[in-house]
Amino acid sequence: MKIYVSPSTQEHNTGPNGYNEETQMNLVADILIPELERHGLTIKRNNRNASGVEEICDESNAWGADYHVAIHSNAFNG
């Protein structure tokens, strides 16, 4: 099974105490990916420098992912 793991690329989504959504969600992916691989799944991870969600979805679809796991926290810098 092919799983495309897509942590946030939104570095401008911030929160209290210096929280940065991109950084934190990539830390979640760093923990998730080895666990998925340990169970025999094939993983591809998005590029942190992708220009946007359309590019990420296109890559996931082109790769033929069975599942696309988007990891976001909905941080808000307001």
Side-chain angles (χ1 to χ4, degrees):
M1 184 175 297
K2 294 167 70 173
I3 311 292
Y4 189 93
V5 175
S6 182
S8 175
T9 60
Q10 298 172 305
E11 73 270 7
H12 299 296
N13 280 1
T14 57
N17 302 317
Y19 179 90
N20 173 294
E21 180 174 290
E22 179 184 38
T23 298
Q24 296 303 311
M25 296 306 100
N26 273 280
L27 291 173
V28 171
D30 290 345
I31 295 167
L32 176 64
I33 290 171
E35 288 302 310
L36 295 173
E37 290 173 332
R38 186 170 67 88
H39 291 282
L41 301 169
T42 303
I43 308 301
K44 184 171 181 78
R45 184 177 185 154
N46 71 324
N47 177 351
R48 281 181 88 154
N49 298 316
S51 62
V53 68
E54 186 175 310
E55 179 183 339
I56 291 168
C57 289
D58 288 347
E59 182 178 65
S60 177
N61 289 335
W63 184 57
D66 296 303
Y67 293 96
H68 182 110
V69 178
I71 306 172
H72 294 266
S73 67
N74 294 328
F76 178 72
N77 57 353

